[in-house]
Amino acid sequence: MPISVHPSVEELAALLRLPDFSEVYAQADRVRARHKGDVVQIRAILEFSNVCRRACRYCGLNCRNEKIARYRMEPDEMIEVAYAANQAGYRTIVLQSGEDPHYTPEILGEIIRKIKETGMAVTVSCGEMPREDYAYLRRCGADRYLLKHETADEQSYRALHPDGTLKERVECLRHLKALGFETGSGFMIGLPGQTMETIAKDLLLLKEIGCNMAGIGPFIPHPDTPLRDHPSGSTELTKRAVALARILLPKANLPATTSLGVLNNGEKNDVFSCGANVVMRKVTPDRYKQLYEIYPAKLSPTHVKEDRLELEEQIRALGRIPL
Ligand code: 5AD
């Protein structure tokens, strides 16, 4: 069943519900091969602050969680890690944090300028900011920005985000696009109240924004959040959403999200055969890494160079080319 270029919510929801999704997976894999080739791009991610002013109900870093120790990395240390990542072969570094007002545009801009001297692409993922701050970071050399819309359902967005609206989030994404950032959004699978129609709307929003990147991952409950008792999102449904994102956005960069934990589960239908072409590896120093707990995960110690080599091997074992 060929998928139309402009599918409706109903059409996408029906696809997500298919008893057998294998044809859609195969189509997504063909689209990926045609538009992105066999390369899997490896990105370094540095989680430089877990301080956050927002109270998102699914996230372990939410400001109401008093159980985690908060940290902030010094700019010099961040730059040092970025240089080590560059030495290890990374061509992109993602600078991610909670929404932490301590890092003013001036501070972030200076860090970006120094990292750009390596020639690496710099992706920023620090939440919502006024347009002029995004513009400033862009002028400092930031190439890309990640800001997931999390859910395209307005009511659900409101319930999950006590201090923001979907409209504001989408507005930020439109600013980023207009400023010339490679712009990434994305959403979670398995949020309370989510239906196939919600996921269909999430996919259509990615397209409407014109996303260059989209991260789609399963929700994982964190014990110190209001959603502690809500079950994890389905990995199968996550892969279906990634496959449809690939078909809708043939040229987009789609990461195998960390929460999907693809490389370890050995499943045949791994996410790299469902349309994904990017993977991120943490380069966050160990003393901070455990504290960046958006959701619970087993983390191994960071060895920037060795971790990258290991990941390259895993990618080659899948018949793909690490870059
Ligand atoms: N489970 C899975 N993903 C989560 N995120 C935040 N909290 C959770 C959770 N409990 C995702 C959001 C955010 C990204 C950094 O992590 O999509 O954009």
Side-chain angles (χ1 to χ4, degrees):
M1 175 183 18
I3 295 164
S4 62
V5 193
H6 296 289
S8 62
V9 167
E10 294 71 27
E11 214 174 318
L12 287 170
L15 288 165
L16 287 163
R17 286 195 181 96
L18 281 175
D20 179 358
F21 204 73
S22 50
E23 271 184 41
V24 186
Y25 282 138
Q27 186 181 341
D29 199 43
R30 285 195 299 274
V31 173
R32 184 272 306 159
R34 188 173 336 124
H35 293 271
K36 307 306 291 186
D38 285 335
V39 166
V40 173
Q41 302 183 29
I42 311 179
R43 324 262 198 229
I45 176 164
L46 175 59
E47 300 150 322
F48 65 90
S49 163
N50 68 352
V51 178
C52 193
R53 62 177 168 192
R54 300 184 66 142
C56 309
R57 294 166 67 84
Y58 44 78
C59 182
L61 305 188
N62 82 78
C63 61
R64 296 178 191 163
N65 179 6
E66 288 175 356
K67 286 203 186 158
I68 50 166
R70 303 283 174 168
Y71 71 88
R72 289 179 170 131
M73 284 179 69
E74 289 295 331
D76 282 350
E77 192 179 15
M78 292 170 62
I79 292 158
E80 213 174 282
V81 173
Y83 274 70
N86 181 52
Q87 280 293 311
Y90 288 100
R91 294 166 179 232
T92 296
I93 187 158
V94 182
L95 303 177
Q96 190 177 81
S97 68
E99 279 195 15
D100 182 356
H102 168 83
Y103 296 87
T104 60
E106 289 69 31
I107 294 175
L108 276 178
E110 200 46 36
I111 295 163
I112 293 164
R113 271 203 207 94
K114 296 230 173 81
I115 296 177
K116 284 304 290 179
E117 286 172 20
T118 64
M120 265 193 292
V122 173
T123 304
V124 182
S125 180
C126 301
E128 294 186 13
M129 295 181 194
R131 189 187 206 272
E132 58 268 26
D133 292 358
Y134 288 147
Y136 181 77
L137 298 181
R138 181 84 186 109
R139 289 200 298 278
C140 292
D143 303 276
R144 309 182 183 136
Y145 205 101
L146 296 178
L147 181 70
K148 299 192 192 181
H149 70 260
E150 315 293 2
T151 172
D153 183 81
E154 245 174 84
Q155 203 184 327
S156 157
Y157 191 98
R158 222 175 305 123
L160 293 167
H161 305 94
D163 19 44
T165 64
L166 180 61
K167 196 160 168 269
E168 289 162 357
R169 180 61 53 116
V170 171
E171 188 81 347
C172 283
L173 286 160
R174 296 205 197 283
H175 289 155
L176 291 163
K177 272 295 279 187
L179 290 164
F181 281 94
E182 272 185 52
T183 303
S185 187
F187 55 90
M188 279 177 275
I189 298 291
L191 292 172
Q194 189 178 59
T195 63
M196 299 306 143
E197 282 72 18
T198 324
I199 299 172
K201 283 198 281 176
D202 283 319
L203 288 163
L204 291 173
L205 182 57
L206 297 179
K207 190 159 171 83
E208 192 203 316
I209 293 166
C211 288
N212 307 97
M213 310 176 277
I216 302 168
F219 162 76
I220 300 168
H222 186 296
D224 305 319
T225 64
L227 293 190
R228 62 180 69 86
D229 295 324
H230 190 75
S232 290
S234 146
T235 55
E236 171 61 24
L237 194 50
T238 303
K239 289 185 233 177
R240 290 181 176 209
V242 172
L244 290 171
R246 169 58 67 209
I247 294 166
L248 291 174
L249 302 160
K251 291 185 191 318
N253 285 324
L254 303 181
T257 46
T258 316
S259 53
L260 193 47
V262 263
L263 288 175
N264 319 323
N265 68 14
E267 273 178 54
K268 219 173 75 209
N269 237 341
D270 71 89
V271 76
F272 290 112
S273 59
C274 313
N277 70 316
V278 172
V279 64
M280 295 189 195
R281 196 46 119 219
K282 291 175 192 249
V283 294
T284 311
D286 289 326
R287 60 190 170 288
Y288 310 121
K289 200 176 188 177
Q290 312 89 295
L291 299 176
Y292 199 82
E293 200 185 56
I294 292 176
Y295 47 82
K298 275 210 193 78
L299 301 173
S300 44
T302 298
H303 302 288
V304 174
K305 180 113 196 167
E306 293 79 358
D307 293 350
R308 182 174 164 108
L309 288 170
E310 183 188 52
L311 188 53
E312 287 178 1
E313 269 319 302
Q314 290 168 323
I315 291 166
R316 282 194 201 94
L318 295 171
R320 305 281 283 278
I321 305 154
L323 185 69

